[in-house]
PDB file of all heavy atoms in Angstrom:
ATOM      1  N   ASN A  15      16.179  35.362  12.340  1.00  0.00           N
ATOM      2  CA  ASN A  15      16.385  34.639  13.588  1.00  0.00           C
ATOM      3  C   ASN A  15      17.589  33.693  13.452  1.00  0.00           C
ATOM      4  O   ASN A  15      17.445  32.474  13.456  1.00  0.00           O
ATOM      5  CB  ASN A  15      15.104  33.866  13.938  1.00  0.00           C
ATOM      6  CG  ASN A  15      15.195  33.165  15.270  1.00  0.00           C
ATOM      7  OD1 ASN A  15      16.077  33.466  16.077  1.00  0.00           O
ATOM      8  ND2 ASN A  15      14.308  32.220  15.502  1.00  0.00           N
ATOM      9  N   LYS A  27      14.886  16.622   9.467  1.00  0.00           N
ATOM     10  CA  LYS A  27      15.739  15.461   9.198  1.00  0.00           C
ATOM     11  C   LYS A  27      15.370  14.293  10.121  1.00  0.00           C
ATOM     12  O   LYS A  27      15.327  13.140   9.689  1.00  0.00           O
ATOM     13  CB  LYS A  27      17.210  15.839   9.361  1.00  0.00           C
ATOM     14  CG  LYS A  27      18.135  14.727   8.916  1.00  0.00           C
ATOM     15  CD  LYS A  27      19.608  15.027   9.052  1.00  0.00           C
ATOM     16  CE  LYS A  27      20.399  13.767   8.707  1.00  0.00           C
ATOM     17  NZ  LYS A  27      21.804  13.863   9.103  1.00  0.00           N
ATOM     18  N   ILE A  45      20.727  18.953   3.010  1.00  0.00           N
ATOM     19  CA  ILE A  45      21.446  20.105   2.453  1.00  0.00           C
ATOM     20  C   ILE A  45      20.447  21.091   1.833  1.00  0.00           C
ATOM     21  O   ILE A  45      20.508  22.301   2.087  1.00  0.00           O
ATOM     22  CB  ILE A  45      22.482  19.655   1.394  1.00  0.00           C
ATOM     23  CG1 ILE A  45      23.600  18.831   2.044  1.00  0.00           C
ATOM     24  CG2 ILE A  45      23.070  20.875   0.662  1.00  0.00           C
ATOM     25  CD1 ILE A  45      24.531  18.137   1.046  1.00  0.00           C
ATOM     26  N   GLU A  51      16.277  27.088   4.437  1.00  0.00           N
ATOM     27  CA  GLU A  51      15.965  27.674   5.741  1.00  0.00           C
ATOM     28  C   GLU A  51      16.827  28.910   5.987  1.00  0.00           C
ATOM     29  O   GLU A  51      16.332  29.966   6.397  1.00  0.00           O
ATOM     30  CB  GLU A  51      16.184  26.631   6.857  1.00  0.00           C
ATOM     31  CG  GLU A  51      15.852  27.174   8.243  1.00  0.00           C
ATOM     32  CD  GLU A  51      16.225  26.214   9.374  1.00  0.00           C
ATOM     33  OE1 GLU A  51      16.667  25.082   9.099  1.00  0.00           O
ATOM     34  OE2 GLU A  51      16.077  26.629  10.538  1.00  0.00           O
ATOM     35  N   ILE A  65       6.854  19.678   3.535  1.00  0.00           N
ATOM     36  CA  ILE A  65       7.470  18.442   3.052  1.00  0.00           C
ATOM     37  C   ILE A  65       6.385  17.413   2.747  1.00  0.00           C
ATOM     38  O   ILE A  65       5.493  17.192   3.571  1.00  0.00           O
ATOM     39  CB  ILE A  65       8.367  17.801   4.149  1.00  0.00           C
ATOM     40  CG1 ILE A  65       9.158  18.848   4.902  1.00  0.00           C
ATOM     41  CG2 ILE A  65       9.214  16.677   3.589  1.00  0.00           C
ATOM     42  CD1 ILE A  65      10.415  19.250   4.267  1.00  0.00           C
ATOM     43  N   ASP A  69       6.167   7.114  -1.480  1.00  0.00           N
ATOM     44  CA  ASP A  69       7.050   5.962  -1.684  1.00  0.00           C
ATOM     45  C   ASP A  69       8.129   6.272  -2.716  1.00  0.00           C
ATOM     46  O   ASP A  69       9.211   5.685  -2.694  1.00  0.00           O
ATOM     47  CB  ASP A  69       6.254   4.746  -2.158  1.00  0.00           C
ATOM     48  CG  ASP A  69       5.396   4.190  -1.032  1.00  0.00           C
ATOM     49  OD1 ASP A  69       5.650   4.552   0.132  1.00  0.00           O
ATOM     50  OD2 ASP A  69       4.474   3.410  -1.324  1.00  0.00           O
ATOM     51  N   ASN A  71       9.180   9.686  -3.811  1.00  0.00           N
ATOM     52  CA  ASN A  71      10.002  10.893  -3.730  1.00  0.00           C
ATOM     53  C   ASN A  71       9.688  11.758  -2.515  1.00  0.00           C
ATOM     54  O   ASN A  71       8.734  11.507  -1.778  1.00  0.00           O
ATOM     55  CB  ASN A  71       9.864  11.727  -5.013  1.00  0.00           C
ATOM     56  CG  ASN A  71       8.422  12.110  -5.277  1.00  0.00           C
ATOM     57  OD1 ASN A  71       7.733  12.565  -4.379  1.00  0.00           O
ATOM     58  ND2 ASN A  71       7.968  11.899  -6.511  1.00  0.00           N
ATOM     59  N   ASN A  75       8.415  22.195  -0.623  1.00  0.00           N
ATOM     60  CA  ASN A  75       8.036  23.533  -1.073  1.00  0.00           C
ATOM     61  C   ASN A  75       8.410  24.534   0.015  1.00  0.00           C
ATOM     62  O   ASN A  75       7.965  24.413   1.150  1.00  0.00           O
ATOM     63  CB  ASN A  75       6.536  23.625  -1.340  1.00  0.00           C
ATOM     64  CG  ASN A  75       6.173  23.023  -2.678  1.00  0.00           C
ATOM     65  OD1 ASN A  75       7.046  22.516  -3.396  1.00  0.00           O
ATOM     66  ND2 ASN A  75       4.904  23.070  -3.014  1.00  0.00           N
ATOM     67  N   GLN A  92      27.168  30.416  -8.738  1.00  0.00           N
ATOM     68  CA  GLN A  92      28.020  30.130  -7.588  1.00  0.00           C
ATOM     69  C   GLN A  92      28.829  31.374  -7.237  1.00  0.00           C
ATOM     70  O   GLN A  92      29.498  31.932  -8.106  1.00  0.00           O
ATOM     71  CB  GLN A  92      28.965  28.983  -7.936  1.00  0.00           C
ATOM     72  CG  GLN A  92      28.773  27.797  -7.036  1.00  0.00           C
ATOM     73  CD  GLN A  92      29.863  26.762  -7.199  1.00  0.00           C
ATOM     74  OE1 GLN A  92      30.487  26.418  -6.234  1.00  0.00           O
ATOM     75  NE2 GLN A  92      30.056  26.264  -8.391  1.00  0.00           N
ATOM     76  N   ILE A 101      25.974  38.906   8.233  1.00  0.00           N
ATOM     77  CA  ILE A 101      25.646  37.542   7.809  1.00  0.00           C
ATOM     78  C   ILE A 101      26.919  36.763   7.472  1.00  0.00           C
ATOM     79  O   ILE A 101      27.091  35.606   7.850  1.00  0.00           O
ATOM     80  CB  ILE A 101      24.678  37.578   6.601  1.00  0.00           C
ATOM     81  CG1 ILE A 101      23.333  38.168   7.029  1.00  0.00           C
ATOM     82  CG2 ILE A 101      24.498  36.199   5.990  1.00  0.00           C
ATOM     83  CD1 ILE A 101      22.331  38.349   5.909  1.00  0.00           C
ATOM     84  N   GLY A 109      27.375  32.415  -1.264  1.00  0.00           N
ATOM     85  CA  GLY A 109      26.773  32.399  -2.597  1.00  0.00           C
ATOM     86  C   GLY A 109      26.691  31.006  -3.186  1.00  0.00           C
ATOM     87  O   GLY A 109      26.678  30.814  -4.397  1.00  0.00           O
ATOM     88  N   MET A 110      26.637  29.997  -2.322  1.00  0.00           N
ATOM     89  CA  MET A 110      26.605  28.601  -2.785  1.00  0.00           C
ATOM     90  C   MET A 110      25.264  27.932  -2.534  1.00  0.00           C
ATOM     91  O   MET A 110      25.046  26.790  -2.962  1.00  0.00           O
ATOM     92  CB  MET A 110      27.683  27.793  -2.045  1.00  0.00           C
ATOM     93  CG  MET A 110      29.114  28.172  -2.387  1.00  0.00           C
ATOM     94  SD  MET A 110      30.277  27.428  -1.215  1.00  0.00           S
ATOM     95  CE  MET A 110      30.103  25.692  -1.620  1.00  0.00           C
ATOM     96  N   ASN A 114      23.861  24.762  -4.510  1.00  0.00           N
ATOM     97  CA  ASN A 114      23.901  23.463  -3.827  1.00  0.00           C
ATOM     98  C   ASN A 114      22.527  22.796  -3.793  1.00  0.00           C
ATOM     99  O   ASN A 114      22.423  21.571  -3.892  1.00  0.00           O
ATOM    100  CB  ASN A 114      24.436  23.618  -2.401  1.00  0.00           C
ATOM    101  CG  ASN A 114      25.925  23.905  -2.383  1.00  0.00           C
ATOM    102  OD1 ASN A 114      26.601  23.781  -3.406  1.00  0.00           O
ATOM    103  ND2 ASN A 114      26.440  24.315  -1.229  1.00  0.00           N
TER     104      ASN A 114
END
Side-chain angles (χ1 to χ4, degrees):
Chain A
N15 184 16
K27 188 180 174 193
I45 294 170
E51 181 187 355
I65 320 275
D69 289 344
N71 58 47
N75 281 1
Q92 241 191 124
I101 294 176
M110 292 168 68
N114 288 348

